[in-house]
Amino acid sequence: MTADQPGVARRQVLQGVLQGLGSLPLAAVLANPVLAQATAETLAEVTIETADGRTVSGALALPETLPAPAVIAIHEWWGLNDQIKTVTAELARQGYVALAVDLYDGVVADTRERASALVRSIDDIEATETMAAWVDWLRAHEATTGRLGTVGWCFGGGWSLNTAVAAPVDACVVYYGRCDRPAEAMARLQGPVLGHFATQDGYIDAAMVDRFADAMNAAARSYTVHWYEADHAFANPSGARYDAADARLAWERTLDFLGRHLRA
């Protein structure tokens, strides 16, 4: 990891400011663009090289006490924006070495059309290699205990599961992401999966989640599914479908799940 000195100094100042805001719940920070941006700027940019020679980047947040278990956060179809970086900072505040990966090479969408185009541009083989490289990097990092989980939302929810299938992951959290994988893929999972799904979601629907459950049962893998009377992206406070109560409950369940499986 490399960082310029002015950048380090700026993050130290911002972290000092944010310490005074530590009592604020995550939802309050996410709901305030100024606070979310300030929080996002405390993360350090890191880069690694993948097995196929590409340089990929992410944003890293460290907890107060090290070593600690690691969590990879995977962005929605919008890209690695302040929202995901803020959640990553919160994961660090909860005691994890937290990394927000960037599968769009620095591009952040501001329209649904642009976001859809970015999703279509993803090369699944390259993205899988990227995620596997980050898993290897974090497991070997001196700041981590070697235990690692993934959490993702929407597009990132699907990639949270893809990562856990492709690499050794101790816990996987899927927020309303594509989850219909065959049993032979699920058999490669090494840890349990927690899924948050919405009853009003027209794409990640009950039929898809039923296929997920059938595949997990056939592969004899551990999973937990929670349903919320909400719509897709209910945990995103910047969207019209945000449901504060369900977002809070899902986050509490996520933290409990990660704690049980990564701190053992």
Side-chain angles (χ1 to χ4, degrees), residues 124 128 154-166 174 177-189 193 203-204 207-219:
D124 286 352
T128 299
C154 182
F155 163 83
W159 276 101
S160 180
L161 185 59
N162 290 348
T163 303
V165 168
V174 177
R178 184 178 174 185
C179 56
D180 51 346
R181 301 291 185 268
E184 55 266 29
M186 301 305 196
R188 296 196 288 272
L189 292 168
V193 178
Y203 175 58
I204 312 298
M208 180 183 289
V209 178
D210 285 346
R211 292 194 297 272
F212 162 76
D214 289 343
M216 291 292 281
N217 290 332

Side-chain angles (χ1 to χ4, degrees), residues 98-147:
L99 174 76
V101 300
D102 185 354
L103 290 176
Y104 289 171
D105 295 326
V107 179
V108 176
D110 57 4
T111 67
R112 296 181 64 85
E113 292 75 19
R114 180 59 171 148
S116 179
L118 286 168
V119 170
R120 294 194 302 272
S121 73
I122 289 294
D123 182 303
D124 286 352
I125 294 176
E126 285 191 354
T128 299
E129 290 176 348
T130 295
M131 297 309 303
W134 281 121
V135 170
D136 290 344
W137 183 79
L138 275 174
R139 283 194 179 279
H141 199 292
E142 62 182 5
T144 77
T145 62
R147 296 191 66 79

